[in-house]
Amino acid sequence: MEAVRQVIDSTLLSGIIPLPKKFENKRVEIVVSLNEEEKAIPSLSMSDIDSMLKGSITESLTGAIPQTEKTLDNYRAERLSKYECSN
């Protein structure tokens, strides 16, 4: 069976996977392998995703960038005009 392994800081998993107290603020090893069960993958609604992220670091980022009707091209043009310098 093929697997991918990586060692990371346990704080990166906060709000994603519940960890025992003794794992907090420690380096942990993540092992990822394929699950070959024949069951269908359940679909997730936005409320499911919101509840999984509740209390995670991503929740603190909500609203950091205001949602506007600007396109990426608008943002790019704005940044270029603001920060370009002519030599």
Side-chain angles (χ1 to χ4, degrees), residues 8 10 33-34 38 40 46 57 81:
I8 65 167
S10 65
S33 63
L34 291 175
E38 294 296 322
M46 283 307 289
I57 194 164
S81 67

Short mmCIF file of all heavy atoms in Angstrom, two decimals, residues 8 10 33-34 38 40 46 57 81:
data_model
loop_
_atom_site.label_atom_id
_atom_site.label_comp_id
_atom_site.label_asym_id
_atom_site.label_seq_id
_atom_site.Cartn_x
_atom_site.Cartn_y
_atom_site.Cartn_z
N ILE A 8 4.49 17.55 10.83
CA ILE A 8 4.07 18.95 10.91
C ILE A 8 3.82 19.34 12.36
O ILE A 8 3.77 18.48 13.24
CB ILE A 8 2.78 19.21 10.08
CG1 ILE A 8 1.60 18.45 10.66
CG2 ILE A 8 2.98 18.88 8.62
CD1 ILE A 8 0.27 18.88 10.11
N SER A 10 1.44 20.29 15.30
CA SER A 10 0.06 19.87 15.58
C SER A 10 -0.92 21.04 15.55
O SER A 10 -2.11 20.84 15.33
CB SER A 10 -0.03 19.14 16.91
OG SER A 10 0.28 20.02 17.97
N SER A 33 -3.11 7.71 3.15
CA SER A 33 -3.18 6.58 2.23
C SER A 33 -4.59 6.52 1.65
O SER A 33 -5.51 7.18 2.13
CB SER A 33 -2.85 5.28 2.95
OG SER A 33 -3.80 5.02 3.95
N LEU A 34 -4.73 5.75 0.61
CA LEU A 34 -6.04 5.62 -0.03
C LEU A 34 -6.96 4.74 0.80
O LEU A 34 -6.54 3.73 1.35
CB LEU A 34 -5.89 5.00 -1.42
CG LEU A 34 -5.20 5.86 -2.46
CD1 LEU A 34 -5.01 5.07 -3.75
CD2 LEU A 34 -5.99 7.11 -2.73
N GLU A 38 -15.71 0.80 -0.85
CA GLU A 38 -16.59 1.05 -1.99
C GLU A 38 -17.69 2.06 -1.67
O GLU A 38 -18.51 2.35 -2.51
CB GLU A 38 -17.21 -0.27 -2.48
CG GLU A 38 -16.20 -1.23 -3.06
CD GLU A 38 -15.54 -0.70 -4.33
OE1 GLU A 38 -16.24 -0.04 -5.14
OE2 GLU A 38 -14.34 -0.93 -4.50
N ALA A 40 -19.70 5.45 -1.12
CA ALA A 40 -19.66 6.75 -1.79
C ALA A 40 -19.19 7.81 -0.81
O ALA A 40 -19.45 7.74 0.39
CB ALA A 40 -21.05 7.12 -2.30
N MET A 46 -22.46 23.68 2.81
CA MET A 46 -21.70 24.79 3.36
C MET A 46 -21.80 24.82 4.88
O MET A 46 -20.84 25.13 5.56
CB MET A 46 -22.19 26.12 2.77
CG MET A 46 -21.70 26.37 1.36
SD MET A 46 -19.91 26.23 1.18
CE MET A 46 -19.37 27.69 2.02
N ILE A 57 -8.25 28.25 12.81
CA ILE A 57 -7.54 29.48 12.43
C ILE A 57 -8.19 30.13 11.20
O ILE A 57 -8.18 31.34 11.06
CB ILE A 57 -6.05 29.20 12.19
CG1 ILE A 57 -5.27 30.51 12.13
CG2 ILE A 57 -5.83 28.38 10.95
CD1 ILE A 57 -3.80 30.36 12.27
N SER A 81 -1.48 50.15 -10.44
CA SER A 81 -1.48 51.61 -10.44
C SER A 81 -1.02 52.17 -9.10
O SER A 81 -0.39 53.21 -9.03
CB SER A 81 -2.88 52.14 -10.77
OG SER A 81 -3.77 51.83 -9.73
#
